């Protein structure tokens, strides 16, 4: 049994690892089982182990520390890459977020030409739930096409489009005010899936904007700006993905 040196904040080891922001609790359990975790210098392979917040925990021989959970919402502009670094010196979304000391990572991605809601956090558990298809987190997009779309084509999308040998179904789709503008709700998180849906029926997307992600909306958040989620939004986000 590991000797405890204090009585500050006794928590499960997998939660401690998850709170550091490196992975989810389930992934932390795998690290523990594989012998990648040490507590106060001792190898720990027992699931369910509890540690104190001021214990020395190492993963792959690197000391980790629990981080304060933070949730940031960005209204992404066009021409920004959803990555932390870019070898081609292109603009990245992290250029837009300043003054945050905690390490953040994006929940999902938006391609370079897609605008709209992008969530950042260091909460590995919530990130996994928001991106895993089994939780069916809804995403709503405003789509502008190069040309008019017909009702027949809308119905074709409603009935399912075959993409990469898989039938893709949207949750909702409807025309907006103009004949080349559409609102589409989908929970699938595949890369460029909305663009591919329209490309399959010979329509080019000239503007794609994510207006809702789970319970989060762009209300009062100008393009290129970011803000931290309110406590109420965090509670809603966690209940939405529970």
């Amino acid at each position: 049994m590991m000797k405890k040196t204090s009585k500050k904040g006794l928590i499960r080891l997998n939660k401690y690892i998850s709170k550091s922001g490196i992975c989810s609790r389930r992934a932390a359990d795998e690290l523990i089982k594989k012998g990648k975790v040490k507590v106060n210098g001792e190898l720990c392979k027992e699931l369910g182990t509890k540690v104190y917040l001021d214990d020395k925990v190492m993963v792959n021989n690197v000391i980790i520390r629990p981080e304060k959970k933070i949730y940031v919402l960005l209204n992404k502009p066009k021409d920004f890459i959803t990555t932390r670094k870019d070898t081609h010196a292109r603009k990245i979304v992290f250029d837009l977020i300043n003054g945050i000391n905690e390490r953040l990572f994006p929940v999902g991605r938006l391609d370079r030409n897609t605008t709209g809601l992008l969530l950042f956090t260091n909460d590995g558990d919530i990130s996994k739930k928001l991106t895993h298809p089994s939780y069916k987190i809804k995403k709503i997009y405003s789509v502008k096409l190069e040309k008019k779309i017909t009702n027949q084509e809308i119905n074709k999308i409603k009935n399912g489009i075959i993409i990469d040998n898989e039938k893709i179904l949207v949750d909702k789709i409807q025309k907006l005010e103009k004949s080349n503008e559409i609102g589409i709700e989908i929970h699938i998180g595949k890369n460029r899936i909305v663009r591919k849906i329209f490309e399959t029926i010979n329509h080019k997307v000239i503007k794609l904007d994510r207006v809702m992600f789970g319970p989060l909306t762009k209300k009062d958040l100008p393009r290129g700006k970011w803000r931290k989620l309110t406590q109420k939004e965090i509670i809603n986000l966690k209940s939405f993905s529970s």
Side-chain angles (χ1 to χ4, degrees), residues 44-161:
C44 178
K45 298 180 70 174
E46 184 179 346
L47 298 181
T49 295
K50 291 187 177 181
V51 297
Y52 291 97
L53 291 177
D54 54 359
D55 278 337
K56 180 181 177 182
V57 177
M58 301 181 74
V59 175
N60 290 321
N61 293 316
V62 177
I63 296 175
I64 62 171
R65 293 277 183 260
E67 293 179 319
K68 177 185 176 183
K69 292 294 182 287
I70 185 169
Y71 309 83
V72 168
L73 192 64
L74 170 71
N75 188 348
K76 177 188 171 296
K78 191 176 179 180
D79 292 327
F80 281 78
I81 309 296
T82 308
T83 186
R84 183 168 289 280
K85 295 181 180 179
D86 184 71
T87 55
H88 301 290
R90 293 173 294 184
K91 294 182 288 187
I92 62 174
V93 290
F94 286 94
D95 292 337
L96 299 168
I97 303 174
N98 301 308
I100 301 293
N101 295 323
E102 292 85 357
R103 182 182 61 167
L104 292 175
F105 49 88
V107 179
R109 301 173 68 88
L110 291 178
D111 65 44
R112 181 175 182 175
N113 293 318
T114 300
T115 59
L117 289 182
L118 190 58
L119 179 67
F120 298 80
T121 185
N122 55 3
D123 187 334
D125 285 329
I126 195 72
S127 176
K128 185 172 182 179
K129 288 179 180 179
L130 290 172
T131 54
H132 198 282
S134 64
Y135 287 88
K136 297 185 177 181
I137 303 301
K138 71 177 180 181
K139 309 171 190 73
I140 298 179
Y141 294 85
S142 173
V143 185
K144 185 175 182 180
L145 303 175
E146 191 173 50
K147 59 183 180 181
K148 175 181 178 180
I149 188 169
T150 66
N151 290 330
Q152 184 179 7
E153 289 170 323
I154 291 286
N155 288 330
K156 187 173 182 178
I157 294 173
K158 285 182 179 178
N159 293 329
I161 297 287

Side-chain angles (χ1 to χ4, degrees), residues 2 19 40 48 94 96 108-109 119 123 158 165 188 206 212 214 230 234:
M2 294 181 185
K19 283 171 69 69
N40 298 327
F94 286 94
L96 299 168
R109 301 173 68 88
L119 179 67
D123 187 334
K158 285 182 179 178
N165 299 316
I188 301 169
I206 58 175
M212 180 174 283
T230 65
I234 294 170

